[in-house]
Structure formats: C-alpha cells, structure tokens
Amino acid sequence: MTVVAKLTTVELKLLTREPGSVFTILVPLFILVVFGSSIPPGDRVLLPMMLALAVGLVGMYQLPTTLATYRERGILRRLSTTPVRPGSMLAVQLILQLVLALTACALLVAVAGTVLGAHVPSQVLPVAGVFLLGTAAMFAVGLLIAALAANGRTANGVGVLLYFPLAYLAGLMQPVDQMPDILARIGAFTPLGAFRQALHDVWAGLSPDPLGLGVMTAYAVIVSLAAARFFRWE
C-alpha cells in the first residue's frame, strides 16, 4: 500500500468518526423527510434544494473546519517533513469531502425517490455536470475560509455565519418567488443560488441558465486561486 493510500485510509476512518460528518448527512435528510411528507408525489423542487443544501454544508462547514484544525494543530507542518507532502493531504481531503457530499446526496435521492415519490430525472449526465460544477464552487469558498481562518473554531464560525445568508439568498429557506426582487437577483449571483437554480433546471428536464453556469465557474476558478494564494500550511 502506498503512502497516499495509507493516508486516505486513515483520513477516511477519522472522517467517519467525525460528528460533523454525521451532521452534514442527517440534517438535510431530516429536513427532506419533515417537509417532503407534505409535498405532492412527483415534486421537482424540494429534492434539488436539499441537494444544494447538503453540498453547501460540506463545502462551507465540514471542509474548512477540518483543514483549519489540521493547520492549527501543526499536522500540515509536520507532514512537510515526511514522504507525505501537505499537498497530498489537501488532495485526499478534497476527495473525501466530495465522497461525503456524494453520500449525503445519494441518500437524499434514494429516500426521496423510493419513500416520498419525488421526481428523479432519467438524464444523468446533465445532473452530474451541474452537481460537479456546483460542488467545485462551494468547495472553493470553503477552501478560502480555511485559508483565511486562524483556527478550526474560527473556520467553523465563519462557515456557519456565511452559510445561512447564502442559503436564504439561494432560496433554500424561502421560495425565490416569495422573496423581494432585489434579493432574488442577488441570490442568482451567489454560488449556492446559482447551484440551486441549475439543479432545479436539470431536474425539470430543462437546460441550465448559462448565467448560472458562468457564476459557478467563476467562483470555482477565481475563489480557488484566491484560496491558493492565501493558504498557509502552518
């Protein structure tokens, strides 16, 4: 087994024991079950919202908290003196956080499709493309939080404080058509808002708005570059 494979195995075990991982999986599922029981079968709105909510929690809560905590404890600095470079740790964490997001979303789709009778699109590729692009945008924001936060507690607090306004603007707490026009327009230019709308479009069998795709791409590229610029290993 290679060094990176051993690192992945260890980090996977730690991730499964992390309470935050359970939180990011169970909270969206709980909301889906509570509100989905009153939604008509075949609904095409609630499930895309829950998928965006789940990815947002992983990207803005779990990911930055983990990385900032590792830096605070000196783990990244100590890795620089071993065959496992800090960059390998970062790559492993990104992969595992993606797996966590996929697990949360797969559970949501399974429960919604089988228990609640929600609509599940048959076209997989458009959904997968939007999902990966939206996840990249949300992870970029999480990486920037991790880069700027002094420690894990700060990253946790900043992520939570930033997540709730973005979730509101994205229409995850109140339907967009019931929001003031100015807030709805602002929400369309947030990573979570663009992600939610693009998921909603492909879920309904429509082509996603190019503006939303451009917004997500911009966040994924520009914010990732900013995170790389400011990221500190110690």
Side-chain angles (χ1 to χ4, degrees), residues 138-201:
M138 298 310 306
F139 278 24
V141 176
L143 287 172
L144 183 59
I145 294 173
L148 299 176
N151 50 54
R153 182 176 299 179
T154 301
N156 187 308
V158 171
V160 171
L161 289 175
L162 187 59
Y163 178 78
F164 285 104
L166 287 179
Y168 173 77
L169 291 172
L172 300 183
M173 298 182 178
Q174 181 179 2
V176 174
D177 57 7
Q178 298 179 15
M179 294 169 56
D181 289 342
I182 183 62
L183 294 182
R185 285 196 293 270
I186 293 173
F189 289 91
T190 65
L192 198 53
F195 186 28
R196 195 273 312 163
Q197 183 59 53
L199 277 177
H200 179 270
D201 290 342

